[in-house]
Amino acid sequence: MEIKKIGVIGAGQMGSGIAEVAISSGFHVLMRDVTPEALDRGKNRIIGDLKRRVEKGKISPEEREAILKRLSTTTRLEDFRDCEFIIEAVVENIPLKEEVYKELDKIAPKETTLASNTSSISITRIASFTRRPDRVVGMHFFNPAPLMKLIEIIRGLATSDETFQITRELSLNLGKTPVEANDFPGFISSRLIFSLMNEAIYALYEGAGKAEEIDSIMKLGANHPMGPLELADYVGLDTVLSVMCILQEAFGDKYRPCPLLIKYVDAGYLGLKAGRGFYPYGEKR
């Protein structure tokens, strides 16, 4: 089946980034969030990024306008009836995902692929919320989605070969490099990346160094483009905590979230989107 229109559920950091990747690759995209305000924030994030690409000479102003014309928004799941491929990018909350997938299962055509951008939740479990588990797959983008080349593709227990190949081909058409991972909690990437972020938070908590020093050591010593504390702020500390709790439940106390992480989330210091995390950012985004 030819994919012309992609649905993206969630207009946050990841959802808007995925939408930008898709419209920049020639696809029409319908992006959904629960409020017009959330949609406006997501669309403005895309507009700002495209503006920077024009300023850097990567695209022309005319190309920018053509790209933006391929984006539409909605607050209604019912509007996804004509999407050939749907990517869910809501928060890492199982009851919320269950609600979304049960509704999508009623709305989307039976041949439509339902892909989750989850970074930690079992695809087999997500697929069980539908009557089409063979059409459910993990399609894990990395932050920031417009820049990062990897897409981690995860088969659930019932994911068909056809669904996997459709997702792999779409990933290539989006200019990404697809890599398959097995359906374990956290897959491959999150087990490694989130444990590094959590350990960096422990280092800060225990006084091994300041945030800037911890991040500088990983950037200069391990050639990471972004330090683990800065990355945690970018991902969202509430998301980091949610993933760590899922990993702890699956694999035990080696993934126990740092008390400082819990305290920051309780305080509302959620990182970039809240204007404050391990670093100050000013206004909320």
Side-chain angles (χ1 to χ4, degrees):
M1 179 178 65
E2 184 181 4
I3 297 172
K4 295 181 179 179
K5 187 174 183 180
I6 297 172
V8 176
I9 301 176
Q13 191 79 36
M14 286 307 303
S16 62
I18 293 167
E20 182 183 336
V21 169
I23 58 176
S24 298
S25 301
F27 294 94
H28 290 273
V29 170
L30 177 62
M31 183 172 69
R32 183 256 185 185
D33 215 306
V34 292
T35 67
E37 293 78 15
L39 286 170
D40 287 343
R41 287 194 296 270
K43 188 171 182 179
N44 287 337
R45 202 176 289 119
I46 294 171
I47 291 170
D49 197 29
L50 292 176
K51 180 182 178 182
R52 287 187 288 273
R53 287 165 64 185
V54 171
E55 291 169 350
K56 293 178 180 179
K58 294 183 177 180
I59 59 174
S60 68
E62 293 76 18
E63 287 172 319
R64 171 184 175 273
E65 292 306 311
I67 289 169
L68 282 173
K69 284 181 180 179
R70 292 193 284 269
L71 177 67
S72 54
T73 61
T74 183
T75 58
R76 292 160 36 93
L77 278 178
E78 293 87 349
D79 294 337
F80 283 78
R81 295 184 188 278
D82 61 345
C83 294
E84 294 90 9
F85 198 101
I86 298 173
I87 303 170
E88 166 270 310
V90 304
V91 298
E92 295 289 79
N93 178 286
I94 292 174
L96 177 58
K97 289 187 187 290
E98 180 175 4
E99 179 183 339
V100 168
Y101 278 89
K102 284 184 175 178
E103 190 64 25
L104 275 181
D105 197 37
K106 298 174 187 175
I107 294 165
K110 63 180 181 181
E111 64 272 13
T112 296
T113 299
L114 306 181
S116 178
N117 182 58
T118 180
S119 57
S120 58
I121 299 170
S122 164
I123 300 304
T124 300
R125 185 170 186 181
I126 290 173
S128 73
F129 303 146
T130 76
R131 295 165 294 178
R132 62 177 92 188
D134 59 312
R135 291 284 181 181
V136 179
V137 67
M139 191 181 191
H140 182 204
F141 290 75
F142 290 77
N143 205 351
L147 298 179
M148 302 297 282
K149 300 297 290 185
L150 175 65
I151 290 180
E152 196 175 30
I153 302 180
I154 305 99
R155 295 178 189 255
L157 187 62
T159 303
S160 68
D161 289 340
E162 179 187 9
T163 297
F164 180 85
Q165 290 303 327
I166 288 171
T167 307
R168 184 180 184 279
E169 183 177 348
L170 176 60
S171 300
L172 293 170
N173 289 336
L174 294 174
K176 304 299 185 182
T177 301
V179 177
E180 183 176 1
N182 289 328
D183 190 20
F184 286 89
F187 319 126
I188 296 171
S189 60
S190 292
R191 288 180 67 173
L192 300 176
I193 295 169
F194 281 81
S195 61
L196 174 61
M197 287 189 282
N198 193 52
E199 190 61 31
I201 298 168
Y202 266 113
L204 180 65
Y205 176 61
E206 294 165 357
K210 297 177 181 177
E212 295 86 350
E213 295 164 344
I214 294 166
D215 279 348
S216 292
I217 284 169
M218 293 309 299
K219 287 189 287 186
L220 299 175
N223 204 28
H224 289 190
M226 185 180 290
L229 296 173
E230 184 183 4
L231 179 60
D233 274 354
Y234 205 90
V235 169
L237 301 191
D238 51 343
T239 299
V240 176
L241 179 57
S242 294
V243 173
M244 291 308 303
C245 289
I246 290 168
L247 293 173
Q248 183 187 17
E249 181 181 0
F251 300 115
D253 278 354
K254 67 178 180 177
Y255 290 102
R256 180 182 293 277
C258 178
L260 184 61
L261 172 61
I262 298 170
K263 184 177 289 187
Y264 269 48
V265 172
D266 286 345
Y269 301 166
L270 305 183
L272 179 65
K273 62 187 175 184
R276 179 172 180 177
F278 296 112
Y279 296 92
Y281 299 96
E283 295 183 2
K284 294 183 179 181
R285 300 193 180 187

